[in-house]
Amino acid sequence: MATRVEAQTSMSVSDYDYSSFFYSSSDDPFAILEPYNEWYTRAVQQGYYLFAQAMSTPPQGWVHLTEGLHHRHVKLLNLSSYNYLGLSYRPEVIAAAKAALDQYGLGAAGSPILSGTMDVHVQLEEAIARFKRKEAAMVFPTGYSTNVGMISGLMRPGDWVIADQNAHASIVDGAILSKANVQFFRHNSPAHLEKKLRSTTGKKLVAIEGVYSMDGDVCPLPELVEVAKKYGARIMLDEAHSAFLYGEHGRGVAEKFGLEDEVDIHIGTFSKALGGQGGYVAGSKNLYNYLKGFARSRVFSCALSPVVTAGVLRSLEIAQAEPELRTKLWENVQHIRKALEDEGVDVGDSTSQIIPIMVRNDRRIFELCHQLFRAGLYLQPVIYPAVAKHRSRFRVSISASHTFDQLDEGVSILVRVLREEGILV
Ligand SMILES: Cc1ncc(COP(=O)(O)O)c(C=O)c1O
């Protein structure tokens, strides 16, 4: 059965996306729910909506999923998880989390500023500060709440947050919440950042990322730092996808470029390379003390579970003690990049463990995703609003725990499907 909108306009389910359902003309906030639900239901029925399919195994090379359309259990080769060092299911990490469960119970049962701080939280904050060679580090419940809390905790109406145009939603949302003026500069363009900085006065925060999560490209940190310093701006660097991976000691892109002291605020997450959950801000003790009072996403939220905190602490120790994990990751990245490039696959500007497989066809990407599923490969479609319209892609995430055989099999499935569907010639 076609939706009302489709019946009236002869448009199909793939002509719509989230932006079609953002506003409605009614005075009732619920008026948008029914048309959205009509579209959503058909999108699921037609296999167009392929998000949030439940996994019943750890995020490893092979995973079991419950496929959303027919509720079938399927085993798929996984090139979708952020578990970059394979730490989420390491036996030592699981053991540390189990021990914490026995010692502390499940949750922290309080905000970190009230009764929710346990000694394992203090240990993790101190360990991150030592690792990042900063005076202090603050742990947040998620990477998302880290950016939201840090930016809105520090910046005020009348100030300026100047962010890369590809900045993660958590940076954008933190800036909006702060009520500072927000400007975006062209992706990775120091010249455009300079233009923005030149035309603003007052307090300025430049918000950039080490590795961008949708394109997998690295920021030109030296040039961006030079421009920001010239105009007296503070710099926050979100290393969600680069901390524990880049630099000789894994301290991130700031270490890779030798600019750790030039970056004022170091952000990272525990949900990717460390295979856990949570985020951190590392910087000066003054910044720590201020955010302790003003980062509302932390003040007014329960502390990270002590179980996860203890697991992350153990992951951090392993990441530091086993640099060979990073070596293996980069070998894997080189291996799959070469295989993809040899086949002529368009991987955009990526140089990292995140490799976009550019499809650039928003209507067909779900159909392709379905084909990949059927062929045994788990890849996530990425469409608007996560990326600009007509920039849809699959995003391959490589882990140190992948074997070359798994990567070769993934490339072979991908190339076969892209060829059959005429995306790759
Ligand atoms: C750059 C960046 N910052 C922050 C986050 C949020 O991190 P988390 O998923 O740990 O909340 C992400 C998540 O993908 C990210 O890519």
Side-chain angles (χ1 to χ4, degrees), residues 3 12 19 26 83 105 119 127 150 168-169 183 333:
T3 65
S12 77
S19 62
S26 165
N83 196 16
D119 44 16
M150 193 287 291
H168 188 259
Q183 290 266 320
V333 170

Side-chain angles (χ1 to χ4, degrees), residues 200-254:
T200 54
T201 52
K203 300 189 188 76
K204 293 170 226 177
L205 177 70
V206 170
I208 52 179
E209 297 175 24
V211 166
Y212 283 85
S213 61
M214 295 299 154
D215 289 304
D217 51 347
V218 176
C219 75
L221 191 61
E223 293 82 359
L224 294 170
V225 164
E226 191 185 329
V227 174
K229 296 274 171 212
K230 184 169 159 192
Y231 291 90
R234 293 287 180 181
I235 303 161
M236 64 155 277
L237 177 65
D238 181 340
E239 299 235 38
H241 295 275
S242 48
F244 317 107
L245 304 180
Y246 276 78
E248 193 189 338
H249 302 94
R251 291 199 297 272
V253 161

Side-chain angles (χ1 to χ4, degrees), residues 273-295:
L274 297 190
Q277 188 176 333
Y280 67 82
V281 176
S284 68
K285 188 74 188 158
N286 285 351
L287 178 69
Y288 180 98
N289 289 341
Y290 189 77
L291 291 179
K292 202 169 169 183
F294 288 89

Side-chain angles (χ1 to χ4, degrees), residues 90-154:
R90 273 280 292 248
E92 307 94 303
V93 172
I94 293 171
K98 281 182 178 166
L101 185 62
D102 288 340
Q103 182 176 348
Y104 302 99
L106 184 61
S111 153
I113 198 129
L114 298 173
S115 58
T117 295
M118 291 162 158
D119 44 16
V120 70
H121 295 111
V122 178
Q123 286 161 20
L124 180 60
E125 291 195 337
E126 288 175 355
I128 289 287
R130 271 196 307 278
F131 172 66
K132 292 292 290 181
R133 297 178 165 184
K134 295 292 147 197
E135 285 175 10
M138 176 174 284
V139 168
F140 285 71
T142 63
Y144 178 88
S145 66
T146 307
N147 279 331
V148 168
M150 193 287 291
I151 299 173
S152 63
L154 189 64

Side-chain angles (χ1 to χ4, degrees), residues 155-267:
M155 304 307 284
R156 301 284 169 261
D159 298 345
W160 292 89
V161 177
I162 305 180
D164 187 285
Q165 73 178 93
N166 287 4
H168 188 259
S170 53
I171 293 176
V172 177
D173 292 359
I176 292 171
L177 189 62
S178 76
K179 299 197 180 73
N181 302 300
V182 187
Q183 290 266 320
F184 294 96
F185 63 94
R186 262 178 234 127
H187 180 50
N188 276 348
S189 168
H192 201 230
L193 171 62
E194 174 148 26
K195 200 168 160 200
K196 294 289 177 188
L197 286 168
R198 205 183 296 125
S199 61
T200 54
T201 52
K203 300 189 188 76
K204 293 170 226 177
L205 177 70
V206 170
I208 52 179
E209 297 175 24
V211 166
Y212 283 85
S213 61
M214 295 299 154
D215 289 304
D217 51 347
V218 176
C219 75
L221 191 61
E223 293 82 359
L224 294 170
V225 164
E226 191 185 329
V227 174
K229 296 274 171 212
K230 184 169 159 192
Y231 291 90
R234 293 287 180 181
I235 303 161
M236 64 155 277
L237 177 65
D238 181 340
E239 299 235 38
H241 295 275
S242 48
F244 317 107
L245 304 180
Y246 276 78
E248 193 189 338
H249 302 94
R251 291 199 297 272
V253 161
E255 183 193 8
K256 168 185 155 70
F257 286 113
L259 290 168
E260 289 170 278
D261 292 339
E262 282 70 13
V263 170
D264 301 287
I265 304 169
H266 296 258
I267 306 277

